[in-house]
Amino acid sequence: MIITLKDGSKKEYDQAMSVYDIARDISDGLARAACLGEVDGETVDLRTIVDRDAEVNILTFDSDEGKKAYRHTCSHVLAEAVKNLYPDAKLAIGPSIDNGFYYDFDIPPLTREDLDKIEAEMKKVIKKGDRLERFTMSREDAIAMYKEKGEPYKVELIEDLPEGEEISFYRQGNFKELCAGPHLMSTRPIKAFKLTSSSGAYWRGDEKNKMLTRIYGTAYTKKDELKEYLEYLADIRNRDHNKLGREMELFTTVDVVGQGLPLFMPKGTKIIQKLQRWIEDLEDYEWGYVRTRTPLMAKSTLYKISDHWYHYRDGMFLLGYDNMEDILAAEDRSDEVRGVQDLGLIQNDVDANVYALRPMTCPFQYYVYKAKQHSYRDLPYRMGETSTLFRNEDSGEMHGLTRVRQFTISEGHLVCTSEQIDEEFKNCVRLAKHCLTTLGLEDDVTYRFSKWDPNDSGKYLGTAEDWDRVQDAMRVILDEIGLEYTEADGEAAFYGPKLDIQAKNVYGKEDTMITIQMDMFLAERYDMYYVDKDGERKRPYIIHRTSLGCYERTLAWLIEKHAGKFPTWLCPEQVRVLPVSEKFEEYAQSVYRELRRSGVDVTVDSSSERIGYKIRAAQMEKIPYMLVVGGKEAEDGTVSVRSRFAGDEGVKPLSEFVSTVCEEIRIREFRKEEKKDQA
């Protein structure tokens, strides 16, 4: 047989060969580094026999697939170690993931000391160097084996497989694991690993199921690479907004208030206030928006007109009935018609009693538009609102400020003619990019064109022709803007395609930060129109958009991106005055008053601590500017400036510093750090 290698060279063999033997024939070094193989494009174990002409590629840890196999094998080592130490532990699943692996066990929560003990046991397992051997069993025999072992999660996994399915396993010594593979040849090649953390995880991600204990880990072929990754993990933990935001006294959470309901402390509130005032003024004075203020709740009839009720009801907070069963029972007795255009046509007792906290603002703003007749001269009519919304997120989905049950967004809806839709959509993108640039976030986003799923058309309003027409038009707009974007089926809203601006948190989880969306159907549903130049009524086009997105999520993003070192204009405390002793308190207060009159957020450290301590405290709190004042400064009307950006900036006249910092704040300058702060 003839084997074609990745570089195009060929090897001829007169007998069948395993992928490992082919690697060893190429070089002993390659065989030692090999993790698995690729035969005619299919990823396989090194032990796989090749008995025909084929293209063969040897995959090492340097490849993505090689890393997966290496780390997946390490997860099996983890499972064996846990069973050795905790014989009553029940096994669930243990896949490789980006940068590592995890395994879920039905055992009590673990401490760091427990993880260290498990690591030690894993080293013993690896030292044995057991070969991993693949074998199969029938579905029935596999179920019987795991029932005898008392492994209910494995039984459930196998029972979900089709009848007659042959089930594959991997054996390492006396430990057997349900697994499709592929894996390393043995445990011995695992050189450097670390169990990084443990947490709770619902079985199969469903909060109705039992909470299991998930152990996370990572593995590398070299200790230096592991060390580098662990240092990276330490850095991102220090940037984690959940940790840093609490340390900086920006927000907190309290069990008796509720999960997903953060409490913003004065500093965090100040940042949100600055963001909100900036966005509102930006939209109103520079981009031509009118501002609305609408209720936080409405009758269910409002949401039924648009179909939001039928798509979002399970995620809404409902008022007026004790539970969903009562609501559904009442609705079953009604003659509700979906999609009517006049609230007056809906007459039933359910609507009089069932209210919902709003998950979105669009229906409310539509009625602001409808409150008076509009002509084509009034369009585009751009409505903006700082909207507080409510969504009943699953408890397992919530995280810090990025996924909460009450949140506030810079929401807007643009009503326009067909001739205006292209330019208005482009302007929405320009506004979003301006906001990102101002906050120093423009390089951290990706763009996703979110489309409907033609294979699940029942989720959406309209016809395939409607969706193809609008999606084709939107693609032209995006291409004219020059955006680099990906396309994603099934991510559109039920009433139109959208552009989602995506970003990842420090752990790599992606979230939508800003959305700009075409609306194809709701103008008709809500009987919205304008009078055209020919005197005829016409349906407008509508764009749903956010300029900044969710303020809570944006704050989390800013904390993690800048490690809490916000640009000066956004800082809750922009300047701290540091008198070298209490003798200069009066001058420090005069400096404070001058800055305060100029609109600068300033404080005075009047403590009795030494000046070196005061400087270090201000540096730890990431204050942009520290003004040291003593006898010389008081006599000359100056301040000794230290900054987060350049360290010691020297002595300056007070008036000069005030002018400079006010200009930095006014233009929202994003000043870069030049060197480390020095005490």
Side-chain angles (χ1 to χ4, degrees), residues 222-234:
K222 298 176 182 176
K223 291 183 178 180
D224 287 347
E225 291 177 348
L226 175 63
K227 180 182 177 183
E228 182 179 343
Y229 177 70
L230 294 177
E231 289 172 350
Y232 162 76
L233 278 186

Side-chain angles (χ1 to χ4, degrees), residues 11 14 20 96 107 113 121-122 157 244 258 266 271 286 315 407 425 531 542 569 581 632 658 679:
K11 282 187 169 288
D14 57 7
Y20 177 76
S96 63
I107 53 175
E113 290 72 21
E121 185 64 24
M122 290 175 68
L157 290 171
L244 190 53
I271 296 175
E286 297 185 35
F407 56 95
F425 192 95
V531 179
I542 301 174
W569 72 271
S581 74
K632 182 64 173 173
V658 172

